[in-house]
């Protein structure tokens, strides 16, 4: 019995002392949107909605919003329960594009993820913090666009990176997400608050999400 108790104690310590992982997006209390007929490849159609002067490139290897905001892979959220709002697709396969131009960097993404938006998480995460190494930021929930038959989420992320010598770089990211049942669509626009270049118009990212959902639904 002493040997058995010793092994139980070890097992309990392993379970209790392991590093806490960022939680995966949680299921909503209401039924998810229906995504019948959604074709993620149609996300290419919304390229035409960008102004002239933008150069298109493939998505980066890490295309979740938290990565597009400038956070490395070993990031943490405070409170931890808000982590799913920074990675709504949970690392699922994605389709989409990125484009850079005078108004910043634009990302349009559709992920193959059957994820729903958890209203309790939204209520608890009106403003939360995130960090990864020398980069830290604050995420604030904002009013999202209305998409027929789909829950939506809006976030503004203000991120600061401290480089060698104490120099700081700043960026502002707007991300809008639509939960489409078997897919998650999101648009992120990243800008430099100190840039003298003309920014994209107010509501551009929000409007582009609506156009993206319409495109992938056909």
């Amino acid at each position: 019995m002493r040997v058995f108790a010793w092994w139980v104690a070890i097992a309990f310590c392993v379970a209790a002392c392991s590093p806490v992982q960022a939680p995966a997006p949680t299921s909503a209390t209401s039924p998810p949107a229906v995504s019948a007929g959604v074709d993620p490849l149609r996300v290419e159609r919304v390229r035409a909605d960008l102004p002239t002067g933008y150069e298109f490139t493939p998505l980066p290897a890490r295309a979740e919003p938290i990565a597009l905001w400038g956070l490395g892979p070993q990031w943490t959220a405070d409170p931890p329960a808000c982590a799913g709002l920074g990675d709504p697709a949970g690392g699922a396969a994605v389709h989409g594009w990125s484009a850079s131009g005078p108004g910043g960097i634009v990302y349009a993404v559709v992920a193959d993820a059957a994820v729903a938006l958890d209203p309790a998480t939204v209520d608890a995460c009106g403003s939360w913090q995130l960090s990864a190494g020398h980069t830290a930021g604050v995420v604030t929930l904002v009013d999202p666009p209305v998409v027929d038959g789909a829950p939506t989420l809006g976030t503004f992320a203000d991120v600061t990176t401290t480089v060698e010598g104490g120099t700081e770089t700043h960026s502002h990211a707007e991300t809008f997400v639509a939960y489409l049942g078997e897919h998650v669509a999101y648009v992120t626009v990243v800008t430099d608050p100190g840039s003298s270049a003309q920014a994209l118009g107010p509501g551009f990212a929000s409007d582009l999400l609506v156009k993206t959902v319409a495109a992938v639904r056909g």
Side-chain angles (χ1 to χ4, degrees):
M1 289 298 293
R2 292 181 179 177
V3 172
F4 176 79
W6 181 69
W7 278 106
V8 169
I10 291 178
F12 177 83
C13 181
V14 170
C17 303
S18 297
V20 176
Q21 301 295 321
T26 55
S27 299
T29 56
S30 57
V34 177
S35 61
V38 169
D39 182 355
L41 298 181
R42 296 191 192 121
V43 68
E44 299 293 331
R45 296 180 180 178
V46 291
R47 289 186 180 208
D49 290 287
L50 263 66
T52 57
Y54 275 75
E55 180 179 353
F56 291 89
T57 57
L59 290 174
R62 293 179 60 231
E64 61 271 25
I66 200 81
L68 305 181
W69 300 344
L71 278 294
Q74 302 301 319
W75 60 276
T76 59
D78 182 20
C82 302
L85 302 183
D87 183 10
V94 297
H95 314 268
W97 48 264
S98 67
S100 58
I105 306 174
V106 181
Y107 303 91
V109 184
V110 181
D112 300 330
V115 179
L117 181 62
D118 181 8
T121 300
V122 174
D123 290 342
C125 298
S127 179
W128 50 284
Q129 299 179 348
L130 68 168
S131 61
H134 297 290
T135 301
V138 176
V139 182
T140 304
L141 297 194
V142 297
D143 291 337
V146 175
V147 173
D148 185 39
T152 52
L153 177 74
T155 62
F156 284 1
D158 291 291
V159 176
T160 298
T161 299
T162 304
V163 297
E164 187 175 353
T167 302
E168 294 184 345
T169 60
H170 303 274
S171 66
H172 174 75
E174 300 183 7
T175 297
F176 294 92
V177 187
Y179 296 79
L180 307 176
E182 298 298 320
H183 300 86
V184 177
Y186 53 92
V187 167
T188 294
V189 175
V190 181
T191 57
D192 176 0
S195 174
S196 60
Q198 183 176 0
L200 294 166
F204 178 86
S206 175
D207 292 342
L208 191 62
L209 174 69
V210 176
K211 294 174 181 177
T212 298
V213 173
V216 299
R217 283 175 167 174

